[in-house]
Amino acid sequence: MRRLIAANWKMNKTVSETEDYIKKFLKFVEHPESREILICPPFTSLYVASKLLQGSGVKLGAQNCFYKDSGAYTGEISIPMLKELGCEYVIVGHSERRHIFGENDELINKKVVACVEKGIRPILCVGEKKEEREAGLTFKVVETQIRLALSGVEEHTDKIDIAYEPVWAIGTGIPATPEDAVEVHTFIRNLLNELNPKNQRKTRILYGGSVKPENAAEFMKHEAINGLLVGTASLDPESFAKIVYSF
Ligand code: PGA
């Protein structure tokens, strides 16, 4: 499986800043076929990003979607809209969507199902809060989030990637240790094998949470870690390129 290194810009960069970033980033890109590189800008930057990334081998993704194709859903963006812009991926159930915007497992499941049906690859984010880890609930929380999110699409886990992002590690500068990440990744892999024995190893399990150029290689040297989802450190093209080529 090709490993996936994804940039999640969150609510950062205007159109002109996006242009500037991508022109700089593409100068660092070599052998794009050796790993999958993905950039997820805000919706407003997708069009320009898609034009600039054409032919570069770098993939484009969105940070969220709604599960209906069209209709009276003010403020929402549908999967056909994203696909026409060239998005191949969409981040679903990011912890900021869950905890700031109140997305629950039921809504996240509807989005995952819609992604699978409509042919865009979801990166399903899961992860425990600090108090849940301290209470020894990490595996339980992650298992519940995955079972609910994948409900009805267990047969199609080959069309889905998962990002394990402990909430306490996101944007804090304090990552999980690679050993802690490997423990959870192995747990998720076993769960996926149970849910879909036919499609073993086709779902990539990414780690996310305070990944930086200085620690990326430490994560990527573990076989259980099939990629990275990078927030803060992806906002600078050189820093993101260092992470992409850290292994
Ligand atoms: P971070 O964010 O790299 O800034 O911790 C990761 C994420 O939220 O995907």
Side-chain angles (χ1 to χ4, degrees):
M1 106 188 17
R2 244 186 350 150
R3 303 213 272 174
L4 171 64
I5 309 297
N8 173 12
W9 287 2
K10 310 191 180 184
M11 195 178 72
N12 290 291
K13 299 197 190 294
T14 63
V15 169
S16 56
E17 288 165 347
T18 300
E19 269 175 328
D20 189 46
Y21 177 108
I22 291 181
K23 284 180 187 156
K24 285 188 182 137
F25 180 70
L26 287 179
K27 296 203 174 96
F28 297 111
V29 174
E30 46 187 49
H31 311 299
E33 62 291 343
S34 65
R35 58 210 70 214
E36 209 156 338
I37 309 170
L38 172 67
I39 297 183
C40 303
F43 291 129
T44 44
S45 287
L46 286 173
Y47 183 73
V48 72
S50 138
K51 295 281 163 218
L52 289 168
L53 291 177
Q54 241 164 40
S56 69
V58 177
K59 304 271 174 83
L60 184 66
Q63 300 171 18
N64 188 20
C65 65
F66 194 55
Y67 58 87
K68 297 276 190 183
D69 282 356
S70 61
Y73 304 104
T74 302
E76 293 297 317
I77 302 287
S78 75
I79 294 168
M81 293 171 183
L82 297 176
K83 286 184 67 176
E84 197 185 280
L85 284 168
C87 289
E88 292 178 53
Y89 287 84
V90 60
I91 299 171
V92 175
H94 188 277
S95 89
E96 286 144 21
R97 300 295 325 162
R98 291 176 191 262
H99 303 304
I100 303 175
F101 300 101
E103 289 195 13
N104 60 21
D105 290 309
E106 193 191 338
L107 175 62
I108 291 164
N109 173 239
K110 286 188 175 145
K111 293 184 180 192
V112 171
V113 171
C115 288
V116 169
E117 280 172 358
K118 298 172 207 297
I120 193 165
R121 194 168 178 96
I123 300 176
L124 167 68
C125 298
V126 298
E128 81 288 0
K129 295 191 213 158
K130 187 163 183 272
E131 55 276 21
E132 292 166 334
R133 174 160 280 263
E134 285 166 357
L137 295 173
T138 299
F139 293 140
K140 195 169 182 317
V141 168
V142 166
E143 177 173 359
T144 306
Q145 288 174 339
I146 292 178
R147 282 191 190 275
L148 293 174
L150 300 187
S151 169
V153 284
E154 292 89 347
E155 292 274 290
H156 302 284
T157 50
D158 57 318
K159 302 184 183 77
I160 298 168
D161 292 315
I162 291 184
Y164 168 57
E165 298 205 304
V167 179
W168 46 271
I170 296 177
T172 59
I174 305 164
T177 64
E179 293 68 32
D180 282 346
V182 166
E183 199 185 17
V184 180
H185 281 227
T186 306
F187 174 81
I188 295 173
R189 179 64 66 200
N190 291 336
L191 176 61
L192 288 171
N193 290 347
E194 179 207 312
L195 290 174
N196 185 352
K198 281 200 305 261
N199 278 322
Q200 303 206 0
R201 297 206 64 76
K202 293 200 177 138
T203 300
R204 283 169 296 193
I205 307 173
L206 319 183
Y207 169 76
S210 297
V211 172
K212 309 168 226 197
E214 302 79 50
N215 62 23
E218 285 301 303
F219 288 103
M220 293 309 291
K221 75 179 184 205
H222 296 278
E223 215 191 309
I225 299 181
N226 315 129
L228 300 167
L229 181 54
V230 190
T232 314
S234 75
L235 293 175
D236 173 73
E238 193 174 352
S239 148
F240 185 52
K242 280 190 184 142
I243 294 171
V244 167
Y245 293 106
S246 63
F247 61 97

